[in-house]
Amino acid sequence: MAKINGLWGNIFHAHEEAGIDILQTLKGVPIFRELKSSEIREFERIIHHRYYKANETIFWEGEPGVGMYIIQHGDVGIFRGKDTNAQEELARLSDGDFFGDMALLNEAPRSATAISLTESHILGLFRPDLFGLIERHPRLGNKVLVKLADMIARRLRQTNEELQEIRIKMNKKEILL
């Protein structure tokens, strides 16, 4: 990012670069990938910027889901288990990764805890803002909802395949016993 030099610096240049950086980050997320730049800019307007210190909790397992998060810069760990001393790390995410996307569809309790592992800049897309955008731009909202549903369906299919593999392995062990 350009350094602003007091009185003579272009104060708008740094903001322009930050906007391009956010646009590129959003384009990397599957639900935005096929959108035109002008459509992504509609989402850029409703994105919330959050900054977390290392080891700061983004959300806790069990609390209501309010939206999804996209990592602009930093590292986030996803953990399961309410006892902080015995949490199991499920995933480690970094720049461009996203999490919490199911909360855009329902407000079910979070299934895991998200913790910023380093100083992080996180972009938040929250359910009420998404629904407001859907009311203002139904076609755009529908494009994103279809992509979101497709992404969640792919994850469910993958999970089902993994469960089937586990069942087959368990059945083989039972036969051997």
Side-chain angles (χ1 to χ4, degrees):
M1 191 177 297
K3 184 177 179 183
I4 298 173
N5 185 8
L7 252 122
W8 305 107
N10 181 345
I11 62 170
F12 301 105
H13 188 67
H15 294 292
E16 289 169 6
E17 284 183 1
I20 291 168
D21 197 23
I22 291 168
L23 187 67
Q24 291 304 316
T25 298
L26 293 178
K27 281 184 177 184
V29 176
I31 63 174
F32 303 119
R33 193 167 286 144
E34 295 175 13
L35 298 180
K36 299 174 196 162
S37 292
S38 61
E39 293 173 320
I40 294 176
R41 291 207 191 284
E42 290 297 325
F43 283 93
E44 189 177 16
R45 289 184 182 106
I46 62 172
I47 289 291
H48 297 265
H49 297 263
R50 300 287 186 260
Y51 298 89
Y52 295 92
K53 297 175 185 170
N55 300 313
E56 188 174 352
T57 300
I58 299 166
F59 58 74
W60 293 96
E61 180 179 341
E63 73 182 31
V66 294
M68 75 178 282
Y69 297 87
I70 304 160
I71 304 170
Q72 178 76 26
H73 300 291
D75 297 300
V76 172
I78 306 298
F79 298 90
R80 182 93 192 207
K82 295 193 180 209
D83 180 4
T84 54
N85 295 327
Q87 288 182 326
E88 173 189 6
E89 185 173 329
L90 302 175
R92 190 170 288 237
L93 308 171
S94 60
D95 297 7
D97 290 333
F98 60 95
F99 55 98
D101 42 289
M102 287 179 58
L104 292 176
L105 298 176
N106 68 33
E107 296 171 335
R110 297 284 189 186
S111 60
T113 297
I115 299 174
S116 181
L117 303 174
T118 61
E119 284 191 16
S120 300
H121 177 196
I122 309 287
L123 307 175
L125 174 59
F126 301 117
R127 184 181 164 101
D129 298 320
L130 175 62
F131 284 15
L133 183 134
I134 291 169
E135 286 180 22
R136 290 187 310 278
H137 304 284
R139 288 185 110 151
L140 175 57
N142 284 334
K143 278 184 180 181
V144 169
L145 288 176
V146 166
K147 294 301 284 181
L148 182 60
D150 179 62
M151 186 178 65
I152 290 172
R154 287 176 191 228
R155 284 188 189 154
L156 181 59
R157 202 172 294 118
Q158 179 182 349
T159 300
N160 286 339
E161 289 171 6
E162 290 173 5
L163 280 172
Q164 185 63 28
E165 289 175 18
I166 291 170
R167 284 186 184 127
I168 291 169
K169 288 178 183 178
M170 288 178 65
N171 286 338
K172 285 182 182 179
K173 285 184 180 181
E174 284 180 14
I175 293 171
L176 293 174
L177 293 176

